[in-house]
Every structure is written in structure tokens, then in C-alpha cells.
Amino acid sequence: MRTFLNVVWLILSGLWMALGYLVAGVICCILIITIPFGIACFRIAVYALWPFGYRAVERGGGASLASGVGNVIWLVVAGIWLTIGHITAGIAFFVTIIGIPFGIAHFKMVPISLMPLGREIVPTTARDAYPGYRW
């Protein structure tokens, strides 16, 4: 079922959202100081292509000051725009009854699109393999 949902997701909105992340990643890599944000964009772009069966979790050990400051900079540079894209697409999918799983997937990507530093994307079956993460 995950594969079917991922293929439909890819066709309906996954490709467009991944392209948004790729564009943001290229822009961040051109501006030398924001290369860590570009790397985060490329990582999230893969997640935006194939979200079912994966989830974003906070890394164990608590958030550092550097990732907190980085997330604020990210929010201003690209985070707000990508988040608006996810919220808009999520609402549009919720309007249709059959698109509700895709709307949920868009809304589960909002936290990582707002603050990607200090988060990691793991398979949903990995709950027991990652006991230090807050699920």
C-alpha cells in the first residue's frame, strides 16, 4: 500500500514539492554560508518524493544553540515559503475525500520544512532501532 501511495503522491504533488526543495537547496549552496541549509534541502527533497513509510524525528541529545540559530535563519530564507506550499497543498488535498492521506502527508512535512536542522528522516518501522529519538 505504501508503494501505491508513494507513486500517486509522486505524480500529484511529490515531484513539485521536491523541485521546490531542490531550487531552495541550489540557492542555499550558491550562498556559501548557507551550505548546511542546502544539504538539508536535498535531504528533505528525497523525503518529499517518497514520504510514505518514513517520518522526520528529532535527533537525540537535545537541540544545540547552533541548530536553533540555523533554524531561525532557515525560516527566513526558505522555510516559510516551503511550509506555505505544504499547507496550501494539504488543504487542497483535504477538500477531496480521496486525497486525505496526501493532505496528512503534507501536514506531517510542515515541522521539518519549518525547522530542518536537528531532525533526521527515518523509516517508520525503525521505532525500536532508534530509542533515543522523540517519536
Side-chain angles (χ1 to χ4, degrees), residues 21 36-44 56-59 67 70-75 78-80 82-83 109-121:
Y21 281 106
F37 306 132
I39 293 169
C41 279
F42 298 139
R43 185 181 38 151
I44 299 169
V57 296
E58 292 184 24
R59 289 187 182 141
S67 67
N71 279 329
V72 170
I73 295 169
W74 164 263
L75 185 64
I80 193 73
L82 293 168
T83 302
M109 288 186 190
V110 166
I112 197 167
S113 67
L114 276 176
M115 300 196 177
L117 302 179
R119 293 185 180 264
E120 191 171 346
I121 299 165

mmCIF file of all heavy atoms in Angstrom, residues 21 36-44 56-59 67 70-75 78-80 82-83 109-121:
data_model
loop_
_atom_site.group_PDB
_atom_site.id
_atom_site.type_symbol
_atom_site.label_atom_id
_atom_site.label_comp_id
_atom_site.label_asym_id
_atom_site.label_seq_id
_atom_site.Cartn_x
_atom_site.Cartn_y
_atom_site.Cartn_z
ATOM 1 N N TYR A 21 12.185 22.084 -3.060
ATOM 2 C CA TYR A 21 13.306 21.874 -2.160
ATOM 3 C C TYR A 21 14.635 21.906 -2.903
ATOM 4 O O TYR A 21 15.633 22.419 -2.390
ATOM 5 C CB TYR A 21 13.163 20.553 -1.403
ATOM 6 C CG TYR A 21 12.203 20.636 -0.248
ATOM 7 C CD1 TYR A 21 10.946 20.055 -0.320
ATOM 8 C CD2 TYR A 21 12.547 21.294 0.916
ATOM 9 C CE1 TYR A 21 10.057 20.135 0.731
ATOM 10 C CE2 TYR A 21 11.673 21.371 1.986
ATOM 11 C CZ TYR A 21 10.425 20.793 1.882
ATOM 12 O OH TYR A 21 9.555 20.878 2.930
ATOM 13 N N PRO A 36 24.947 24.353 4.747
ATOM 14 C CA PRO A 36 24.243 23.349 5.564
ATOM 15 C C PRO A 36 22.735 23.309 5.291
ATOM 16 O O PRO A 36 22.116 22.254 5.337
ATOM 17 C CB PRO A 36 24.535 23.769 7.000
ATOM 18 C CG PRO A 36 25.796 24.532 6.916
ATOM 19 C CD PRO A 36 25.767 25.232 5.590
ATOM 20 N N PHE A 37 22.149 24.468 4.987
ATOM 21 C CA PHE A 37 20.727 24.504 4.650
ATOM 22 C C PHE A 37 20.479 23.838 3.304
ATOM 23 O O PHE A 37 19.462 23.185 3.107
ATOM 24 C CB PHE A 37 20.205 25.938 4.611
ATOM 25 C CG PHE A 37 20.479 26.705 5.862
ATOM 26 C CD1 PHE A 37 21.020 27.968 5.805
ATOM 27 C CD2 PHE A 37 20.198 26.172 7.100
ATOM 28 C CE1 PHE A 37 21.279 28.682 6.962
ATOM 29 C CE2 PHE A 37 20.450 26.880 8.258
ATOM 30 C CZ PHE A 37 20.999 28.134 8.196
ATOM 31 N N GLY A 38 21.406 24.022 2.366
ATOM 32 C CA GLY A 38 21.281 23.372 1.064
ATOM 33 C C GLY A 38 21.321 21.860 1.193
ATOM 34 O O GLY A 38 20.542 21.149 0.557
ATOM 35 N N ILE A 39 22.202 21.371 2.028
ATOM 36 C CA ILE A 39 22.281 19.923 2.259
ATOM 37 C C ILE A 39 20.986 19.424 2.893
ATOM 38 O O ILE A 39 20.465 18.366 2.510
ATOM 39 C CB ILE A 39 23.507 19.597 3.132
ATOM 40 C CG1 ILE A 39 24.789 19.907 2.346
ATOM 41 C CG2 ILE A 39 23.485 18.145 3.592
ATOM 42 C CD1 ILE A 39 26.043 19.880 3.170
ATOM 43 N N ALA A 40 20.441 20.184 3.831
ATOM 44 C CA ALA A 40 19.153 19.809 4.437
ATOM 45 C C ALA A 40 18.047 19.810 3.391
ATOM 46 O O ALA A 40 17.171 18.942 3.400
ATOM 47 C CB ALA A 40 18.812 20.756 5.581
ATOM 48 N N CYS A 41 18.089 20.768 2.467
ATOM 49 C CA CYS A 41 17.077 20.819 1.403
ATOM 50 C C CYS A 41 17.130 19.577 0.532
ATOM 51 O O CYS A 41 16.095 19.015 0.163
ATOM 52 C CB CYS A 41 17.298 22.042 0.523
ATOM 53 S SG CYS A 41 16.655 23.552 1.189
ATOM 54 N N PHE A 42 18.333 19.152 0.167
ATOM 55 C CA PHE A 42 18.461 17.966 -0.679
ATOM 56 C C PHE A 42 17.973 16.716 0.050
ATOM 57 O O PHE A 42 17.341 15.842 -0.539
ATOM 58 C CB PHE A 42 19.902 17.796 -1.142
ATOM 59 C CG PHE A 42 20.402 18.942 -1.987
ATOM 60 C CD1 PHE A 42 21.670 19.428 -1.824
ATOM 61 C CD2 PHE A 42 19.583 19.544 -2.926
ATOM 62 C CE1 PHE A 42 22.133 20.487 -2.590
ATOM 63 C CE2 PHE A 42 20.024 20.606 -3.697
ATOM 64 C CZ PHE A 42 21.310 21.076 -3.530
ATOM 65 N N ARG A 43 18.242 16.653 1.347
ATOM 66 C CA ARG A 43 17.773 15.513 2.147
ATOM 67 C C ARG A 43 16.242 15.501 2.228
ATOM 68 O O ARG A 43 15.603 14.462 2.093
ATOM 69 C CB ARG A 43 18.383 15.627 3.547
ATOM 70 C CG ARG A 43 18.117 14.485 4.459
ATOM 71 C CD ARG A 43 18.760 14.750 5.782
ATOM 72 N NE ARG A 43 18.609 16.175 6.086
ATOM 73 C CZ ARG A 43 18.542 16.666 7.298
ATOM 74 N NH1 ARG A 43 18.637 15.892 8.320
ATOM 75 N NH2 ARG A 43 18.380 17.953 7.503
ATOM 76 N N ILE A 44 15.645 16.673 2.413
ATOM 77 C CA ILE A 44 14.186 16.752 2.508
ATOM 78 C C ILE A 44 13.541 16.547 1.145
ATOM 79 O O ILE A 44 12.422 16.045 1.056
ATOM 80 C CB ILE A 44 13.765 18.099 3.130
ATOM 81 C CG1 ILE A 44 14.347 18.230 4.538
ATOM 82 C CG2 ILE A 44 12.258 18.210 3.203
ATOM 83 C CD1 ILE A 44 14.207 19.620 5.118
ATOM 84 N N ALA A 56 9.973 12.177 9.986
ATOM 85 C CA ALA A 56 11.043 13.037 10.487
ATOM 86 C C ALA A 56 10.994 13.026 12.007
ATOM 87 O O ALA A 56 9.941 13.221 12.599
ATOM 88 C CB ALA A 56 10.875 14.451 9.955
ATOM 89 N N VAL A 57 12.136 12.790 12.613
ATOM 90 C CA VAL A 57 12.228 12.750 14.070
ATOM 91 C C VAL A 57 13.347 13.682 14.515
ATOM 92 O O VAL A 57 14.265 13.974 13.756
ATOM 93 C CB VAL A 57 12.487 11.321 14.595
ATOM 94 C CG1 VAL A 57 11.336 10.412 14.277
ATOM 95 C CG2 VAL A 57 13.775 10.766 14.041
ATOM 96 N N GLU A 58 13.245 14.146 15.744
ATOM 97 C CA GLU A 58 14.309 14.970 16.311
ATOM 98 C C GLU A 58 15.467 14.071 16.707
ATOM 99 O O GLU A 58 15.269 12.966 17.206
ATOM 100 C CB GLU A 58 13.797 15.738 17.519
ATOM 101 C CG GLU A 58 12.790 16.801 17.169
ATOM 102 C CD GLU A 58 12.370 17.607 18.375
ATOM 103 O OE1 GLU A 58 13.147 17.661 19.355
ATOM 104 O OE2 GLU A 58 11.272 18.155 18.333
ATOM 105 N N ARG A 59 16.668 14.551 16.469
ATOM 106 C CA ARG A 59 17.847 13.798 16.888
ATOM 107 C C ARG A 59 17.930 13.811 18.403
ATOM 108 O O ARG A 59 17.562 14.786 19.048
ATOM 109 C CB ARG A 59 19.106 14.424 16.313
ATOM 110 C CG ARG A 59 19.213 14.220 14.833
ATOM 111 C CD ARG A 59 20.551 14.701 14.336
ATOM 112 N NE ARG A 59 20.567 14.514 12.895
ATOM 113 C CZ ARG A 59 21.094 15.357 12.053
ATOM 114 N NH1 ARG A 59 21.673 16.454 12.488
ATOM 115 N NH2 ARG A 59 21.063 15.111 10.760
ATOM 116 N N SER A 67 22.004 24.846 15.965
ATOM 117 C CA SER A 67 20.864 24.422 15.156
ATOM 118 C C SER A 67 19.655 25.315 15.393
ATOM 119 O O SER A 67 18.871 25.555 14.480
ATOM 120 C CB SER A 67 20.514 22.954 15.416
ATOM 121 O OG SER A 67 20.031 22.775 16.725
ATOM 122 N N GLY A 70 20.402 28.389 13.398
ATOM 123 C CA GLY A 70 20.295 27.993 11.995
ATOM 124 C C GLY A 70 18.854 27.828 11.548
ATOM 125 O O GLY A 70 18.496 28.199 10.425
ATOM 126 N N ASN A 71 18.018 27.281 12.418
ATOM 127 C CA ASN A 71 16.606 27.116 12.071
ATOM 128 C C ASN A 71 15.895 28.456 11.915
ATOM 129 O O ASN A 71 15.024 28.599 11.065
ATOM 130 C CB ASN A 71 15.894 26.251 13.107
ATOM 131 C CG ASN A 71 16.135 24.782 12.885
ATOM 132 O OD1 ASN A 71 16.306 24.328 11.759
ATOM 133 N ND2 ASN A 71 16.160 24.027 13.963
ATOM 134 N N VAL A 72 16.279 29.444 12.718
ATOM 135 C CA VAL A 72 15.682 30.774 12.569
ATOM 136 C C VAL A 72 16.097 31.386 11.231
ATOM 137 O O VAL A 72 15.270 31.954 10.514
ATOM 138 C CB VAL A 72 16.076 31.687 13.757
ATOM 139 C CG1 VAL A 72 15.661 33.123 13.501
ATOM 140 C CG2 VAL A 72 15.450 31.165 15.037
ATOM 141 N N ILE A 73 17.363 31.254 10.880
ATOM 142 C CA ILE A 73 17.823 31.762 9.582
ATOM 143 C C ILE A 73 17.120 31.011 8.455
ATOM 144 O O ILE A 73 16.683 31.608 7.470
ATOM 145 C CB ILE A 73 19.357 31.637 9.463
ATOM 146 C CG1 ILE A 73 20.025 32.552 10.492
ATOM 147 C CG2 ILE A 73 19.825 31.971 8.060
ATOM 148 C CD1 ILE A 73 21.507 32.320 10.641
ATOM 149 N N TRP A 74 17.003 29.698 8.589
ATOM 150 C CA TRP A 74 16.314 28.881 7.587
ATOM 151 C C TRP A 74 14.868 29.333 7.407
ATOM 152 O O TRP A 74 14.371 29.409 6.295
ATOM 153 C CB TRP A 74 16.346 27.414 7.995
ATOM 154 C CG TRP A 74 15.356 26.582 7.257
ATOM 155 C CD1 TRP A 74 14.120 26.221 7.674
ATOM 156 C CD2 TRP A 74 15.501 26.036 5.961
ATOM 157 N NE1 TRP A 74 13.489 25.477 6.725
ATOM 158 C CE2 TRP A 74 14.317 25.340 5.653
ATOM 159 C CE3 TRP A 74 16.523 26.049 5.020
ATOM 160 C CZ2 TRP A 74 14.126 24.674 4.463
ATOM 161 C CZ3 TRP A 74 16.327 25.378 3.828
ATOM 162 C CH2 TRP A 74 15.143 24.711 3.561
ATOM 163 N N LEU A 75 14.205 29.618 8.504
ATOM 164 C CA LEU A 75 12.813 30.042 8.459
ATOM 165 C C LEU A 75 12.653 31.291 7.603
ATOM 166 O O LEU A 75 11.730 31.388 6.797
ATOM 167 C CB LEU A 75 12.300 30.286 9.873
ATOM 168 C CG LEU A 75 10.832 30.616 10.041
ATOM 169 C CD1 LEU A 75 9.987 29.440 9.587
ATOM 170 C CD2 LEU A 75 10.534 30.947 11.477
ATOM 171 N N ALA A 78 14.119 30.235 3.529
ATOM 172 C CA ALA A 78 13.334 29.337 2.674
ATOM 173 C C ALA A 78 12.215 28.614 3.393
ATOM 174 O O ALA A 78 11.266 28.171 2.748
ATOM 175 C CB ALA A 78 14.265 28.296 2.046
ATOM 176 N N GLY A 79 12.299 28.478 4.682
ATOM 177 C CA GLY A 79 11.350 27.652 5.416
ATOM 178 C C GLY A 79 9.911 28.092 5.315
ATOM 179 O O GLY A 79 9.008 27.274 5.142
ATOM 180 N N ILE A 80 9.683 29.377 5.408
ATOM 181 C CA ILE A 80 8.296 29.861 5.390
ATOM 182 C C ILE A 80 7.646 29.577 4.044
ATOM 183 O O ILE A 80 6.471 29.221 3.977
ATOM 184 C CB ILE A 80 8.232 31.358 5.786
ATOM 185 C CG1 ILE A 80 6.792 31.768 6.068
ATOM 186 C CG2 ILE A 80 8.817 32.240 4.711
ATOM 187 C CD1 ILE A 80 6.260 31.239 7.353
ATOM 188 N N LEU A 82 8.409 27.155 1.781
ATOM 189 C CA LEU A 82 8.151 25.726 1.607
ATOM 190 C C LEU A 82 7.005 25.271 2.509
ATOM 191 O O LEU A 82 6.188 24.439 2.107
ATOM 192 C CB LEU A 82 9.423 24.937 1.895
ATOM 193 C CG LEU A 82 10.552 25.176 0.885
ATOM 194 C CD1 LEU A 82 11.855 24.597 1.401
ATOM 195 C CD2 LEU A 82 10.199 24.601 -0.459
ATOM 196 N N THR A 83 6.916 25.834 3.692
ATOM 197 C CA THR A 83 5.821 25.500 4.599
ATOM 198 C C THR A 83 4.484 25.954 4.031
ATOM 199 O O THR A 83 3.487 25.231 4.108
ATOM 200 C CB THR A 83 6.061 26.125 5.979
ATOM 201 O OG1 THR A 83 7.309 25.648 6.478
ATOM 202 C CG2 THR A 83 4.958 25.772 6.939
ATOM 203 N N MET A 109 4.924 17.002 6.959
ATOM 204 C CA MET A 109 6.179 17.593 6.494
ATOM 205 C C MET A 109 6.357 19.042 6.955
ATOM 206 O O MET A 109 7.430 19.611 6.783
ATOM 207 C CB MET A 109 6.254 17.542 4.971
ATOM 208 C CG MET A 109 6.484 16.181 4.436
ATOM 209 S SD MET A 109 6.730 16.283 2.684
ATOM 210 C CE MET A 109 6.684 14.579 2.279
ATOM 211 N N VAL A 110 5.334 19.629 7.523
ATOM 212 C CA VAL A 110 5.422 21.027 7.954
ATOM 213 C C VAL A 110 6.515 21.227 9.014
ATOM 214 O O VAL A 110 7.312 22.161 8.893
ATOM 215 C CB VAL A 110 4.048 21.538 8.434
ATOM 216 C CG1 VAL A 110 4.172 22.841 9.197
ATOM 217 C CG2 VAL A 110 3.117 21.704 7.247
ATOM 218 N N PRO A 111 6.630 20.396 10.056
ATOM 219 C CA PRO A 111 7.684 20.655 11.054
ATOM 220 C C PRO A 111 9.092 20.607 10.479
ATOM 221 O O PRO A 111 9.933 21.435 10.832
ATOM 222 C CB PRO A 111 7.481 19.546 12.092
ATOM 223 C CG PRO A 111 6.075 19.129 11.941
ATOM 224 C CD PRO A 111 5.746 19.313 10.491
ATOM 225 N N ILE A 112 9.360 19.675 9.580
ATOM 226 C CA ILE A 112 10.711 19.592 9.025
ATOM 227 C C ILE A 112 10.962 20.693 8.000
ATOM 228 O O ILE A 112 12.087 21.119 7.806
ATOM 229 C CB ILE A 112 11.021 18.200 8.448
ATOM 230 C CG1 ILE A 112 12.523 18.037 8.265
ATOM 231 C CG2 ILE A 112 10.289 17.974 7.142
ATOM 232 C CD1 ILE A 112 12.982 16.643 8.000
ATOM 233 N N SER A 113 9.897 21.183 7.363
ATOM 234 C CA SER A 113 10.112 22.289 6.432
ATOM 235 C C SER A 113 10.298 23.610 7.184
ATOM 236 O O SER A 113 10.939 24.519 6.677
ATOM 237 C CB SER A 113 8.957 22.397 5.442
ATOM 238 O OG SER A 113 7.773 22.773 6.081
ATOM 239 N N LEU A 114 9.760 23.703 8.386
ATOM 240 C CA LEU A 114 9.965 24.906 9.206
ATOM 241 C C LEU A 114 11.334 24.910 9.874
ATOM 242 O O LEU A 114 12.016 25.925 9.883
ATOM 243 C CB LEU A 114 8.888 25.012 10.284
ATOM 244 C CG LEU A 114 7.577 25.649 9.886
ATOM 245 C CD1 LEU A 114 6.597 25.577 11.032
ATOM 246 C CD2 LEU A 114 7.769 27.069 9.427
ATOM 247 N N MET A 115 11.718 23.780 10.448
ATOM 248 C CA MET A 115 12.966 23.701 11.199
ATOM 249 C C MET A 115 13.662 22.379 10.917
ATOM 250 O O MET A 115 13.503 21.409 11.669
ATOM 251 C CB MET A 115 12.682 23.864 12.689
ATOM 252 C CG MET A 115 12.045 25.177 13.006
ATOM 253 S SD MET A 115 12.133 25.526 14.731
ATOM 254 C CE MET A 115 11.405 27.151 14.738
ATOM 255 N N PRO A 116 14.460 22.301 9.835
ATOM 256 C CA PRO A 116 15.060 21.025 9.445
ATOM 257 C C PRO A 116 16.313 20.636 10.229
ATOM 258 O O PRO A 116 16.633 19.449 10.311
ATOM 259 C CB PRO A 116 15.413 21.247 7.972
ATOM 260 C CG PRO A 116 15.685 22.697 7.885
ATOM 261 C CD PRO A 116 14.723 23.338 8.849
ATOM 262 N N LEU A 117 17.027 21.609 10.773
ATOM 263 C CA LEU A 117 18.260 21.282 11.479
ATOM 264 C C LEU A 117 17.931 20.646 12.818
ATOM 265 O O LEU A 117 17.069 21.104 13.549
ATOM 266 C CB LEU A 117 19.104 22.538 11.663
ATOM 267 C CG LEU A 117 19.484 23.248 10.365
ATOM 268 C CD1 LEU A 117 20.288 24.492 10.678
ATOM 269 C CD2 LEU A 117 20.237 22.340 9.430
ATOM 270 N N GLY A 118 18.626 19.562 13.134
ATOM 271 C CA GLY A 118 18.353 18.822 14.361
ATOM 272 C C GLY A 118 17.320 17.732 14.172
ATOM 273 O O GLY A 118 16.855 17.131 15.129
ATOM 274 N N ARG A 119 16.956 17.464 12.929
ATOM 275 C CA ARG A 119 15.981 16.413 12.624
ATOM 276 C C ARG A 119 16.603 15.426 11.664
ATOM 277 O O ARG A 119 17.530 15.744 10.931
ATOM 278 C CB ARG A 119 14.715 16.990 12.008
ATOM 279 C CG ARG A 119 13.921 17.836 12.953
ATOM 280 C CD ARG A 119 12.623 18.263 12.311
ATOM 281 N NE ARG A 119 11.844 19.075 13.212
ATOM 282 C CZ ARG A 119 10.875 18.602 13.983
ATOM 283 N NH1 ARG A 119 10.573 17.335 13.949
ATOM 284 N NH2 ARG A 119 10.212 19.402 14.780
ATOM 285 N N GLU A 120 16.053 14.232 11.670
ATOM 286 C CA GLU A 120 16.522 13.171 10.790
ATOM 287 C C GLU A 120 15.317 12.425 10.234
ATOM 288 O O GLU A 120 14.291 12.317 10.906
ATOM 289 C CB GLU A 120 17.422 12.218 11.575
ATOM 290 C CG GLU A 120 18.160 11.244 10.720
ATOM 291 C CD GLU A 120 19.203 10.477 11.521
ATOM 292 O OE1 GLU A 120 19.521 10.884 12.637
ATOM 293 O OE2 GLU A 120 19.667 9.457 11.007
ATOM 294 N N ILE A 121 15.436 11.908 9.032
ATOM 295 C CA ILE A 121 14.358 11.155 8.394
ATOM 296 C C ILE A 121 14.685 9.676 8.530
ATOM 297 O O ILE A 121 15.750 9.224 8.111
ATOM 298 C CB ILE A 121 14.211 11.574 6.924
ATOM 299 C CG1 ILE A 121 13.861 13.054 6.864
ATOM 300 C CG2 ILE A 121 13.158 10.732 6.239
ATOM 301 C CD1 ILE A 121 14.037 13.680 5.520
#
